[in-house]
Coordinates of all heavy atoms in Angstrom, one line a residue:
M1 N 32.6 12.8 -6.2 CA 31.6 13.8 -6.4 C 31.5 14.1 -7.9 O 32.5 14.3 -8.5 CB 31.9 15.1 -5.6 CG 30.7 16.0 -5.4 SD 31.1 17.4 -4.4 CE 31.2 16.6 -2.8
N2 N 30.3 14.2 -8.4 CA 30.1 14.4 -9.8 C 29.9 15.9 -10.1 O 28.8 16.4 -9.9 CB 29.0 13.6 -10.3 CG 28.8 13.6 -11.8 OD1 29.8 13.9 -12.5 ND2 27.7 13.3 -12.3
W3 N 30.9 16.6 -10.6 CA 30.8 18.1 -10.8 C 30.2 18.3 -12.2 O 30.6 17.7 -13.2 CB 32.1 18.7 -10.7 CG 32.7 18.7 -9.3 CD1 33.6 17.8 -8.9 CD2 32.4 19.5 -8.3 NE1 33.9 18.0 -7.6 CE2 33.1 19.1 -7.1 CE3 31.5 20.6 -8.1 CZ2 33.1 19.7 -5.9 CZ3 31.5 21.3 -6.9 CH2 32.2 20.8 -5.8
I4 N 29.3 19.3 -12.3 CA 28.7 19.6 -13.6 C 29.1 21.1 -13.9 O 28.7 22.0 -13.1 CB 27.2 19.5 -13.5 CG1 26.9 18.0 -13.2 CG2 26.5 19.9 -14.8 CD1 25.5 17.6 -13.3
E5 N 29.7 21.3 -15.0 CA 30.1 22.7 -15.3 C 28.9 23.5 -15.8 O 28.1 23.0 -16.6 CB 31.2 22.6 -16.4 CG 32.0 23.9 -16.5 CD 33.2 23.8 -17.4 OE1 33.9 22.8 -17.3 OE2 33.4 24.8 -18.1
I6 N 28.8 24.7 -15.2 CA 27.7 25.5 -15.6 C 28.0 26.8 -16.3 O 27.2 27.6 -16.5 CB 26.8 25.8 -14.3 CG1 27.7 26.5 -13.3 CG2 26.2 24.6 -13.8 CD1 26.9 27.1 -12.2
G7 N 29.3 27.0 -16.5 CA 29.7 28.2 -17.2 C 30.9 28.9 -16.6 O 31.5 28.4 -15.7
S8 N 31.2 30.1 -17.1 CA 32.3 30.9 -16.6 C 31.9 31.9 -15.6 O 30.8 32.4 -15.5 CB 32.9 31.6 -17.8 OG 33.8 32.7 -17.4
I9 N 32.9 32.2 -14.7 CA 32.6 33.2 -13.7 C 32.3 34.6 -14.4 O 31.6 35.4 -13.8 CB 33.8 33.3 -12.7 CG1 33.4 34.2 -11.5 CG2 35.1 33.9 -13.4 CD1 34.4 34.2 -10.4
N10 N 32.8 34.7 -15.6 CA 32.6 36.0 -16.3 C 31.1 36.1 -16.7 O 30.7 37.2 -17.1 CB 33.5 36.1 -17.5 CG 34.9 36.2 -17.0 OD1 35.3 36.8 -16.0 ND2 35.8 35.5 -17.8
D11 N 30.4 35.0 -16.7 CA 29.0 35.1 -17.0 C 28.1 35.7 -15.9 O 27.0 36.0 -16.1 CB 28.4 33.7 -17.3 CG 29.1 33.0 -18.5 OD1 29.6 33.7 -19.3 OD2 29.1 31.8 -18.6
I12 N 28.8 35.8 -14.7 CA 28.0 36.3 -13.6 C 28.6 37.7 -13.2 O 29.8 37.9 -13.1 CB 28.2 35.4 -12.3 CG1 27.9 34.0 -12.7 CG2 27.4 35.9 -11.2 CD1 28.1 33.0 -11.5
P13 N 27.7 38.7 -13.2 CA 28.2 40.0 -12.8 C 28.8 40.1 -11.4 O 28.3 39.3 -10.6 CB 26.9 40.9 -12.9 CG 25.8 40.0 -13.1 CD 26.3 38.6 -13.4
C14 N 29.8 40.9 -11.2 CA 30.4 41.0 -9.9 C 29.2 41.5 -9.0 O 28.5 42.4 -9.3 CB 31.5 42.0 -10.0 SG 32.5 42.0 -8.6
R15 N 29.1 40.9 -7.8 CA 28.0 41.2 -6.8 C 26.7 41.0 -7.5 O 25.7 41.7 -7.2 CB 28.1 42.7 -6.3 CG 29.5 42.9 -5.6 CD 29.6 44.4 -5.1 NE 28.6 44.6 -4.1 CZ 28.1 45.8 -3.8 NH1 28.5 46.8 -4.5 NH2 27.3 46.0 -2.8
G16 N 26.6 39.9 -8.3 CA 25.4 39.5 -8.9 C 25.2 38.0 -8.8 O 25.9 37.3 -8.1
A17 N 24.2 37.6 -9.6 CA 23.9 36.1 -9.6 C 23.4 35.7 -10.9 O 22.9 36.5 -11.7 CB 22.9 35.8 -8.5
R18 N 23.4 34.4 -11.1 CA 22.8 33.8 -12.3 C 21.9 32.7 -11.8 O 22.2 32.0 -10.8 CB 23.9 33.1 -13.1 CG 24.0 33.7 -14.5 CD 25.0 32.9 -15.3 NE 24.3 31.8 -16.0 CZ 24.9 30.8 -16.6 NH1 26.2 30.7 -16.6 NH2 24.3 29.9 -17.2
C19 N 20.7 32.5 -12.4 CA 19.8 31.5 -12.0 C 19.9 30.3 -13.0 O 19.9 30.5 -14.2 CB 18.4 32.0 -12.0 SG 17.2 30.8 -11.7
I20 N 20.1 29.1 -12.4 CA 20.3 27.9 -13.2 C 19.1 27.0 -13.0 O 18.8 26.7 -11.8 CB 21.6 27.1 -12.8 CG1 22.7 28.1 -12.6 CG2 21.8 26.0 -13.7 CD1 23.6 28.3 -13.8
A21 N 18.5 26.6 -14.1 CA 17.4 25.6 -14.0 C 17.9 24.2 -13.9 O 18.7 23.9 -14.8 CB 16.4 25.8 -15.1
T22 N 17.6 23.5 -12.9 CA 18.1 22.1 -12.8 C 16.9 21.2 -12.6 O 15.8 21.7 -12.3 CB 19.0 21.9 -11.6 OG1 18.3 21.8 -10.4 CG2 20.0 23.1 -11.5
P23 N 17.1 19.9 -12.7 CA 15.9 18.9 -12.5 C 15.4 19.0 -11.0 O 14.3 18.6 -10.8 CB 16.6 17.6 -12.7 CG 17.8 17.8 -13.6 CD 18.3 19.2 -13.2
V24 N 16.2 19.6 -10.1 CA 15.7 19.7 -8.8 C 15.4 21.1 -8.4 O 15.5 21.5 -7.2 CB 16.7 19.1 -7.8 CG1 16.8 17.6 -7.9 CG2 18.1 19.7 -8.0
G25 N 15.1 22.0 -9.4 CA 14.7 23.3 -9.1 C 15.7 24.4 -9.5 O 16.8 24.0 -10.0
R26 N 15.4 25.6 -9.2 CA 16.2 26.7 -9.6 C 17.3 26.9 -8.6 O 17.1 26.9 -7.4 CB 15.4 28.0 -9.7 CG 14.5 28.0 -11.0 CD 13.7 29.3 -11.0 NE 12.8 29.3 -9.8 CZ 12.7 30.4 -9.0 NH1 13.3 31.5 -9.3 NH2 11.9 30.4 -8.0
I27 N 18.5 27.1 -9.1 CA 19.7 27.3 -8.2 C 20.3 28.7 -8.6 O 20.4 29.0 -9.7 CB 20.7 26.2 -8.4 CG1 20.2 24.9 -7.8 CG2 22.0 26.6 -7.7 CD1 21.0 23.7 -8.1
A28 N 20.5 29.5 -7.5 CA 21.1 30.8 -7.7 C 22.6 30.7 -7.5 O 23.1 30.2 -6.4 CB 20.5 31.8 -6.8
V29 N 23.4 31.1 -8.5 CA 24.9 31.1 -8.3 C 25.4 32.5 -8.2 O 25.1 33.3 -9.1 CB 25.6 30.3 -9.5 CG1 27.1 30.3 -9.3 CG2 25.0 28.9 -9.7
F30 N 26.0 32.8 -7.1 CA 26.4 34.2 -6.8 C 27.9 34.4 -6.9 O 28.7 33.5 -6.7 CB 26.0 34.5 -5.3 CG 24.6 34.6 -5.1 CD1 23.9 33.4 -4.7 CD2 23.9 35.8 -5.2 CE1 22.5 33.5 -4.5 CE2 22.5 35.8 -4.9 CZ 21.8 34.6 -4.6
R31 N 28.2 35.6 -7.3 CA 29.6 36.0 -7.3 C 29.7 37.3 -6.4 O 29.0 38.3 -6.6 CB 30.0 36.4 -8.7 CG 31.4 37.0 -8.9 CD 31.7 37.3 -10.4 NE 33.0 37.9 -10.6 CZ 33.4 38.3 -11.7 NH1 32.6 38.1 -12.8 NH2 34.6 38.8 -11.9
T32 N 30.6 37.2 -5.5 CA 30.8 38.3 -4.5 C 31.8 39.4 -5.1 O 32.4 39.1 -6.1 CB 31.3 37.9 -3.2 OG1 32.6 37.3 -3.4 CG2 30.4 36.8 -2.6
A33 N 31.9 40.5 -4.4 CA 32.8 41.5 -4.9 C 34.3 41.0 -5.0 O 35.0 41.5 -5.8 CB 32.7 42.7 -3.9
D34 N 34.6 40.1 -4.1 CA 36.0 39.5 -4.1 C 36.1 38.2 -4.9 O 37.0 37.4 -4.6 CB 36.6 39.4 -2.7 CG 35.7 38.6 -1.8 OD1 34.6 38.1 -2.2 OD2 36.1 38.4 -0.6
D35 N 35.1 38.0 -5.8 CA 35.1 36.8 -6.7 C 35.0 35.5 -6.0 O 35.5 34.5 -6.5 CB 36.4 36.8 -7.6 CG 36.3 37.9 -8.7 OD1 35.1 38.3 -9.0 OD2 37.3 38.2 -9.2
Q36 N 34.4 35.4 -4.8 CA 34.0 34.1 -4.3 C 32.7 33.7 -5.0 O 31.9 34.6 -5.4 CB 33.7 34.2 -2.8 CG 35.0 34.5 -2.0 CD 34.7 34.3 -0.5 OE1 34.6 33.2 0.0 NE2 34.5 35.4 0.2
V37 N 32.5 32.4 -5.1 CA 31.3 31.9 -5.8 C 30.5 31.0 -4.8 O 31.1 30.2 -4.1 CB 31.7 31.1 -7.0 CG1 30.4 30.6 -7.7 CG2 32.4 32.1 -8.0
F38 N 29.2 31.2 -4.7 CA 28.4 30.4 -3.9 C 27.1 30.0 -4.6 O 26.7 30.7 -5.5 CB 27.9 31.2 -2.6 CG 29.0 31.7 -1.7 CD1 29.5 33.0 -1.8 CD2 29.5 30.8 -0.8 CE1 30.5 33.4 -1.0 CE2 30.5 31.3 0.1 CZ 31.0 32.5 -0.1
A39 N 26.6 28.8 -4.3 CA 25.4 28.4 -4.9 C 24.4 28.0 -3.8 O 24.7 27.2 -2.9 CB 25.6 27.2 -5.9
I40 N 23.2 28.5 -4.0 CA 22.1 28.1 -3.0 C 20.8 28.0 -3.8 O 20.7 28.5 -5.0 CB 21.9 29.2 -1.9 CG1 21.5 30.5 -2.4 CG2 23.1 29.3 -1.0 CD1 21.3 31.6 -1.4
D41 N 19.8 27.4 -3.2 CA 18.5 27.4 -3.8 C 18.0 28.8 -4.1 O 18.2 29.7 -3.3 CB 17.4 26.7 -2.9 CG 17.4 25.2 -3.1 OD1 18.0 24.7 -4.1 OD2 16.9 24.6 -2.1
D42 N 17.4 29.0 -5.3 CA 16.9 30.3 -5.7 C 15.5 30.5 -5.1 O 14.5 30.8 -5.9 CB 16.9 30.5 -7.2 CG 16.7 31.9 -7.6 OD1 16.7 32.8 -6.8 OD2 16.4 32.1 -8.8
R43 N 15.4 30.4 -3.8 CA 14.1 30.4 -3.2 C 14.2 30.8 -1.8 O 14.7 30.1 -1.0 CB 13.5 28.9 -3.3 CG 12.0 28.9 -3.3 CD 11.5 27.5 -3.5 NE 10.1 27.6 -3.6 CZ 9.3 27.8 -2.5 NH1 9.9 27.9 -1.3 NH2 8.0 28.0 -2.6
C44 N 13.8 32.0 -1.5 CA 13.9 32.5 -0.2 C 13.1 31.7 0.8 O 12.0 31.2 0.6 CB 13.3 34.0 -0.2 SG 13.4 34.7 1.4
P45 N 13.8 31.4 2.0 CA 13.1 30.6 3.0 C 11.9 31.3 3.6 O 11.0 30.6 4.3 CB 14.2 30.4 4.1 CG 15.1 31.5 3.9 CD 15.1 31.8 2.4
H46 N 11.7 32.6 3.4 CA 10.5 33.3 3.9 C 9.3 32.9 3.0 O 8.5 32.1 3.4 CB 10.8 34.8 3.9 CG 9.6 35.6 4.4 ND1 9.3 36.8 3.9 CD2 8.7 35.3 5.3 CE1 8.3 37.3 4.5 NE2 7.9 36.4 5.4
K47 N 9.2 33.5 1.8 CA 8.0 33.2 1.0 C 8.4 32.9 -0.4 O 7.7 33.1 -1.4 CB 7.0 34.3 1.0 CG 6.4 34.5 2.4 CD 5.2 35.4 2.4 CE 4.5 35.3 3.8 NZ 3.5 36.4 3.9
G48 N 9.6 32.3 -0.6 CA 10.0 31.8 -1.9 C 10.5 32.9 -2.9 O 10.5 32.6 -4.1
G49 N 10.9 34.1 -2.5 CA 11.4 35.1 -3.3 C 12.6 34.7 -4.1 O 13.3 33.8 -3.7
P50 N 12.8 35.2 -5.3 CA 14.0 34.9 -6.1 C 15.3 35.5 -5.6 O 15.6 36.7 -5.9 CB 13.6 35.4 -7.5 CG 12.7 36.6 -7.2 CD 12.0 36.3 -5.9
L51 N 16.0 34.8 -4.9 CA 17.2 35.3 -4.3 C 18.2 35.8 -5.3 O 19.0 36.7 -5.1 CB 17.9 34.3 -3.3 CG 17.0 33.9 -2.1 CD1 17.6 32.8 -1.3 CD2 16.8 35.2 -1.2
S52 N 18.2 35.2 -6.5 CA 19.2 35.5 -7.5 C 18.9 37.0 -8.0 O 19.8 37.6 -8.6 CB 19.0 34.6 -8.7 OG 17.7 34.6 -9.3
Q53 N 17.8 37.6 -7.7 CA 17.5 39.0 -8.0 C 17.8 39.9 -6.8 O 17.4 41.1 -6.9 CB 16.1 39.1 -8.5 CG 15.9 38.4 -9.9 CD 14.5 38.3 -10.3 OE1 13.7 39.2 -10.0 NE2 14.1 37.3 -11.0
G54 N 18.3 39.4 -5.8 CA 18.6 40.2 -4.6 C 19.9 41.0 -4.7 O 20.6 40.9 -5.7
I55 N 20.2 41.7 -3.7 CA 21.4 42.6 -3.6 C 22.4 41.8 -2.9 O 22.2 41.4 -1.7 CB 21.1 43.9 -2.9 CG1 19.9 44.5 -3.6 CG2 22.3 44.8 -2.9 CD1 20.1 45.8 -4.3
V56 N 23.6 41.7 -3.5 CA 24.7 41.0 -2.8 C 25.6 42.0 -2.1 O 25.9 43.0 -2.6 CB 25.6 40.2 -3.9 CG1 26.8 39.6 -3.2 CG2 24.7 39.2 -4.6
H57 N 25.8 41.7 -0.8 CA 26.7 42.5 0.0 C 27.6 41.6 0.8 O 27.0 40.8 1.6 CB 26.0 43.5 0.8 CG 24.7 42.9 1.5 ND1 24.8 42.5 2.8 CD2 23.5 42.7 1.0 CE1 23.6 42.0 3.1 NE2 22.8 42.1 2.0
G58 N 28.9 41.7 0.8 CA 29.8 40.8 1.5 C 29.4 39.4 1.0 O 29.3 39.2 -0.2
A59 N 29.3 38.4 1.9 CA 28.9 37.1 1.5 C 27.5 36.8 1.9 O 27.2 35.8 2.5 CB 29.9 36.1 2.2
A60 N 26.6 37.7 1.6 CA 25.2 37.6 1.9 C 24.4 38.2 0.8 O 24.9 39.0 0.0 CB 24.9 38.3 3.2
V61 N 23.1 37.8 0.7 CA 22.2 38.4 -0.3 C 20.9 38.9 0.5 O 20.4 38.2 1.4 CB 21.9 37.5 -1.4 CG1 21.1 36.2 -0.9 CG2 21.0 38.1 -2.5
T62 N 20.4 40.0 0.0 CA 19.2 40.5 0.6 C 18.0 40.2 -0.4 O 18.1 40.5 -1.6 CB 19.2 42.1 0.8 OG1 20.2 42.3 1.7 CG2 17.9 42.6 1.3
C63 N 17.0 39.5 0.1 CA 15.9 39.0 -0.7 C 15.2 40.3 -1.3 O 14.9 41.2 -0.6 CB 15.0 38.2 0.1 SG 13.5 37.7 -0.9
P64 N 14.8 40.2 -2.6 CA 14.2 41.4 -3.2 C 12.8 41.6 -2.7 O 12.2 42.7 -2.9 CB 14.2 41.0 -4.7 CG 14.3 39.6 -4.8 CD 15.1 39.1 -3.6
L65 N 12.2 40.6 -2.1 CA 10.8 40.8 -1.7 C 10.5 41.5 -0.4 O 9.9 42.5 -0.3 CB 10.0 39.4 -1.7 CG 9.9 38.7 -3.1 CD1 8.8 37.7 -3.0 CD2 9.5 39.7 -4.2
H66 N 11.1 40.9 0.7 CA 10.9 41.5 2.0 C 12.2 41.7 2.8 O 12.1 41.8 4.0 CB 9.9 40.7 2.8 CG 8.8 40.1 2.1 ND1 8.8 38.9 1.5 CD2 7.6 40.7 1.7 CE1 7.6 38.6 0.9 NE2 6.9 39.7 0.9
N67 N 13.3 41.7 2.1 CA 14.6 42.1 2.7 C 15.1 41.2 3.7 O 15.9 41.6 4.5 CB 14.5 43.5 3.2 CG 14.2 44.6 2.2 OD1 14.6 44.4 1.0 ND2 13.5 45.6 2.5
W68 N 14.8 39.9 3.7 CA 15.5 39.0 4.6 C 17.0 39.0 4.0 O 17.2 39.1 2.8 CB 14.9 37.6 4.5 CG 13.8 37.4 5.4 CD1 12.8 38.3 5.8 CD2 13.4 36.2 6.0 NE1 11.9 37.7 6.6 CE2 12.2 36.4 6.8 CE3 13.9 34.9 6.0 CZ2 11.6 35.4 7.5 CZ3 13.2 33.9 6.7 CH2 12.1 34.1 7.5
V69 N 17.9 38.7 4.9 CA 19.3 38.6 4.5 C 19.7 37.2 4.7 O 19.6 36.6 5.8 CB 20.2 39.6 5.4 CG1 21.7 39.4 4.9 CG2 19.7 41.0 5.1
I70 N 20.2 36.6 3.7 CA 20.6 35.2 3.7 C 22.1 35.1 3.5 O 22.7 35.6 2.5 CB 19.9 34.4 2.5 CG1 18.4 34.7 2.5 CG2 20.2 32.9 2.6 CD1 17.6 34.2 3.6
A71 N 22.8 34.3 4.4 CA 24.2 34.1 4.3 C 24.5 33.1 3.1 O 23.8 32.1 3.0 CB 24.8 33.5 5.6
L72 N 25.4 33.5 2.2 CA 25.6 32.7 1.0 C 26.4 31.4 1.4 O 26.2 30.4 0.7 CB 26.4 33.5 0.0 CG 25.6 34.7 -0.6 CD1 26.5 35.4 -1.5 CD2 24.4 34.2 -1.3
D73 N 27.2 31.4 2.4 CA 28.0 30.2 2.7 C 27.2 29.2 3.5 O 27.3 28.0 3.3 CB 29.3 30.6 3.5 CG 29.0 31.4 4.7 OD1 27.8 31.9 4.9 OD2 29.9 31.6 5.5
T74 N 26.3 29.6 4.4 CA 25.5 28.6 5.1 C 24.1 28.5 4.7 O 23.4 27.5 5.0 CB 25.4 29.0 6.6 OG1 24.7 30.3 6.7 CG2 26.8 29.2 7.2
G75 N 23.6 29.4 3.9 CA 22.2 29.4 3.5 C 21.2 29.8 4.6 O 20.0 29.8 4.4
K76 N 21.7 30.3 5.7 CA 20.9 30.6 6.8 C 20.5 32.1 6.8 O 21.2 32.9 6.4 CB 21.6 30.3 8.1 CG 21.7 28.9 8.5 CD 22.3 28.8 9.9 CE 22.1 27.4 10.5 NZ 22.6 26.3 9.7
A77 N 19.2 32.4 7.3 CA 18.8 33.7 7.4 C 19.6 34.4 8.5 O 19.8 33.7 9.6 CB 17.3 33.8 7.7
L78 N 19.9 35.6 8.4 CA 20.7 36.3 9.4 C 19.8 37.3 10.2 O 18.7 37.6 9.7 CB 21.8 37.2 8.7 CG 22.9 36.3 7.9 CD1 23.9 37.3 7.3 CD2 23.6 35.4 8.9
G79 N 20.3 37.7 11.3 CA 19.5 38.7 12.1 C 18.4 37.9 12.8 O 18.5 36.8 13.2
A80 N 17.2 38.6 13.0 CA 16.1 38.0 13.8 C 15.3 37.0 13.0 O 14.5 36.3 13.6 CB 15.2 39.2 14.2
D81 N 15.5 36.9 11.7 CA 14.7 35.9 10.9 C 15.3 34.5 11.0 O 16.5 34.3 11.1 CB 14.7 36.4 9.5 CG 14.1 37.8 9.4 OD1 13.1 38.1 10.0 OD2 14.7 38.7 8.7
E82 N 14.4 33.6 10.9 CA 14.8 32.2 11.0 C 14.3 31.4 9.8 O 13.2 31.4 9.4 CB 14.2 31.5 12.3 CG 14.9 32.0 13.5 CD 14.4 31.2 14.8 OE1 13.8 30.1 14.6 OE2 14.5 31.8 15.8
G83 N 15.3 30.6 9.3 CA 15.0 29.8 8.1 C 16.3 29.6 7.4 O 17.3 30.2 7.7
E84 N 16.3 28.6 6.5 CA 17.5 28.4 5.7 C 17.2 27.8 4.3 O 16.1 27.2 4.2 CB 18.6 27.6 6.4 CG 18.2 26.2 6.7 CD 19.2 25.5 7.6 OE1 20.3 25.2 7.1 OE2 18.9 25.3 8.8
V85 N 18.1 28.0 3.4 CA 18.0 27.4 2.1 C 19.1 26.4 1.9 O 20.1 26.4 2.6 CB 18.0 28.4 0.9 CG1 16.8 29.2 0.9 CG2 19.2 29.2 1.0
R86 N 18.9 25.5 1.0 CA 19.9 24.5 0.7 C 21.1 25.1 0.1 O 21.0 26.0 -0.8 CB 19.3 23.4 -0.2 CG 20.1 22.2 -0.5 CD 19.2 21.2 -1.1 NE 18.4 21.7 -2.3 CZ 17.7 20.9 -3.0 NH1 17.5 19.7 -2.7 NH2 17.0 21.4 -4.0
T87 N 22.3 24.7 0.5 CA 23.5 25.2 -0.2 C 24.0 24.1 -1.1 O 23.8 22.9 -0.8 CB 24.6 25.6 0.8 OG1 24.9 24.4 1.6 CG2 24.2 26.7 1.7
I88 N 24.6 24.4 -2.2 CA 25.1 23.5 -3.1 C 26.6 23.6 -3.3 O 27.1 24.7 -3.4 CB 24.4 23.7 -4.5 CG1 22.9 23.4 -4.4 CG2 25.0 22.8 -5.6 CD1 22.1 24.6 -4.2
P89 N 27.3 22.5 -3.2 CA 28.8 22.6 -3.4 C 29.1 23.2 -4.7 O 28.5 22.8 -5.7 CB 29.3 21.1 -3.3 CG 28.2 20.4 -2.6 CD 26.9 21.1 -2.9
V90 N 30.0 24.1 -4.7 CA 30.4 24.8 -5.9 C 31.9 25.0 -6.0 O 32.5 25.2 -4.9 CB 29.6 26.2 -6.0 CG1 30.0 27.1 -4.9 CG2 29.8 26.8 -7.4
K91 N 32.5 25.0 -7.1 CA 33.9 25.3 -7.2 C 34.2 26.1 -8.5 O 33.4 26.0 -9.4 CB 34.7 24.0 -7.2 CG 34.6 23.1 -8.4 CD 35.5 21.9 -8.4 CE 35.3 21.0 -9.6 NZ 36.1 19.8 -9.6
C92 N 35.3 26.8 -8.4 CA 35.6 27.7 -9.6 C 37.1 27.4 -9.9 O 38.0 27.6 -9.0 CB 35.4 29.1 -9.2 SG 35.7 30.2 -10.6
E93 N 37.4 26.8 -11.0 CA 38.7 26.5 -11.4 C 39.0 27.1 -12.7 O 38.3 26.9 -13.7 CB 38.9 24.9 -11.5 CG 39.0 24.2 -10.2 CD 39.0 22.7 -10.3 OE1 38.8 22.2 -11.4 OE2 39.3 22.1 -9.3
N94 N 40.1 27.9 -12.7 CA 40.5 28.7 -14.0 C 39.3 29.4 -14.6 O 39.1 29.4 -15.8 CB 41.1 27.7 -15.0 CG 42.3 27.0 -14.5 OD1 43.1 27.6 -13.7 ND2 42.5 25.8 -14.8
G95 N 38.4 29.9 -13.7 CA 37.3 30.7 -14.2 C 36.1 29.9 -14.6 O 35.0 30.4 -14.9
A96 N 36.2 28.5 -14.5 CA 35.0 27.7 -14.9 C 34.3 27.2 -13.6 O 34.9 26.7 -12.7 CB 35.5 26.5 -15.6
I97 N 33.0 27.5 -13.5 CA 32.2 27.2 -12.3 C 31.5 25.8 -12.5 O 30.9 25.6 -13.6 CB 31.2 28.3 -12.1 CG1 31.9 29.6 -11.8 CG2 30.3 27.9 -10.9 CD1 30.9 30.7 -11.8
S98 N 31.6 25.0 -11.5 CA 30.9 23.7 -11.5 C 30.1 23.6 -10.2 O 30.5 24.1 -9.1 CB 31.9 22.6 -11.6 OG 32.7 22.7 -12.7
I99 N 29.0 22.9 -10.3 CA 28.2 22.6 -9.1 C 28.1 21.0 -9.0 O 28.1 20.3 -10.0 CB 26.8 23.2 -9.1 CG1 26.0 22.8 -10.3 CG2 26.9 24.7 -9.0 CD1 24.6 23.3 -10.3
A100 N 27.9 20.6 -7.7 CA 27.8 19.1 -7.5 C 26.3 18.8 -7.5 O 25.6 18.7 -6.5 CB 28.4 18.8 -6.2
L101 N 25.8 18.5 -8.7 CA 24.3 18.3 -8.8 C 23.9 16.9 -8.3 O 22.8 16.8 -7.9 CB 23.9 18.5 -10.3 CG 22.5 18.8 -10.5 CD1 22.0 20.0 -9.8 CD2 22.3 19.1 -12.0
D102 N 24.8 16.0 -8.4 CA 24.4 14.6 -7.9 C 24.0 14.6 -6.5 O 23.2 13.8 -6.0 CB 25.5 13.6 -8.2 CG 26.9 14.0 -7.6 OD1 27.1 15.2 -7.3 OD2 27.7 13.1 -7.4
I103 N 24.6 15.5 -5.7 CA 24.2 15.6 -4.3 C 22.8 15.9 -4.1 O 22.0 15.4 -3.3 CB 25.1 16.6 -3.6 CG1 26.5 16.0 -3.4 CG2 24.5 17.0 -2.2 CD1 27.4 16.7 -2.4
L104 N 22.3 16.9 -5.0 CA 21.0 17.3 -4.9 C 20.0 16.2 -5.3 O 19.0 15.9 -4.7 CB 20.7 18.5 -5.9 CG 21.5 19.7 -5.6 CD1 21.1 20.8 -6.6 CD2 21.2 20.2 -4.2
M105 N 20.4 15.4 -6.4 CA 19.6 14.3 -6.8 C 19.4 13.3 -5.7 O 18.3 12.8 -5.4 CB 20.2 13.6 -8.0 CG 20.6 14.6 -9.1 SD 19.2 14.9 -10.2 CE 20.0 15.3 -11.7
A106 N 20.5 13.0 -5.0 CA 20.5 12.0 -4.0 C 19.6 12.5 -2.8 O 19.0 11.7 -2.1 CB 21.9 11.7 -3.5
A107 N 19.5 13.8 -2.6 CA 18.8 14.3 -1.5 C 17.3 14.4 -1.8 O 16.5 14.5 -0.8 CB 19.3 15.7 -1.1
E108 N 16.9 14.3 -3.0 CA 15.5 14.4 -3.3 C 14.7 13.2 -2.9 O 15.2 12.1 -2.9 CB 15.3 14.7 -4.8 CG 15.7 16.1 -5.2 CD 14.9 17.2 -4.5 OE1 13.7 17.2 -4.7 OE2 15.4 18.0 -3.8
Ligands
LIG1 S1 10.3 36.1 0.3 FE1 12.3 36.7 0.8 S2 12.1 38.0 2.4 FE2 10.0 37.4 1.9

């Protein structure tokens, strides 16, 4: 797997996200309160809202537009809503975050 380093965990606010522009679209990289890191498409499965601007709670994010709740680990909408976004393999080693972008390229 070809990992691409995208920065330090300290670049992401706790319970916040950073949006990364990639050749295959915007990716939202989240940091939870307990310093877990997740990466998903920055595009709500409902109407494309910017999930990176949502509110992080536990391992989920609430979309800023119409409040759908998306699980960060599976990319699936929670509750009564149906839909999902792509999840991207992500790892954090010694504070450095990397994503597996080649997987995305292969999927396009
Ligand atoms: S666009 Fe995200 S809830 Fe509607």
Side-chain angles (χ1 to χ4, degrees):
M1 196 175 289
N2 188 19
W3 294 97
I4 302 190
E5 196 169 318
I6 55 165
S8 161
I9 190 167
N10 296 322
D11 298 338
I12 308 177
C14 195
R15 300 178 69 206
R18 242 185 91 192
C19 174
I20 314 270
T22 79
V24 290
R26 289 177 298 133
I27 293 172
V29 183
F30 292 89
R31 175 180 177 183
T32 64
D34 55 359
D35 284 342
Q36 292 190 78
V37 177
F38 298 98
I40 61 176
D41 276 342
D42 190 14
R43 204 171 184 291
C44 180
H46 180 217
K47 292 193 174 168
L51 295 173
S52 59
Q53 292 171 34
I55 308 246
V56 177
H57 42 96
V61 62
T62 297
C63 178
L65 294 196
H66 319 97
N67 297 328
W68 277 31
V69 178
I70 311 296
L72 296 176
D73 54 348
T74 63
K76 288 190 165 52
L78 299 176
D81 301 313
E82 284 186 24
E84 66 186 286
V85 292
R86 188 166 50 176
T87 58
I88 293 98
V90 60
K91 66 178 180 181
C92 184
E93 283 175 350
N94 301 323
I97 299 172
S98 305
I99 57 174
L101 202 53
D102 56 337
I103 287 195
L104 297 182
M105 306 276 205
E108 286 298 298

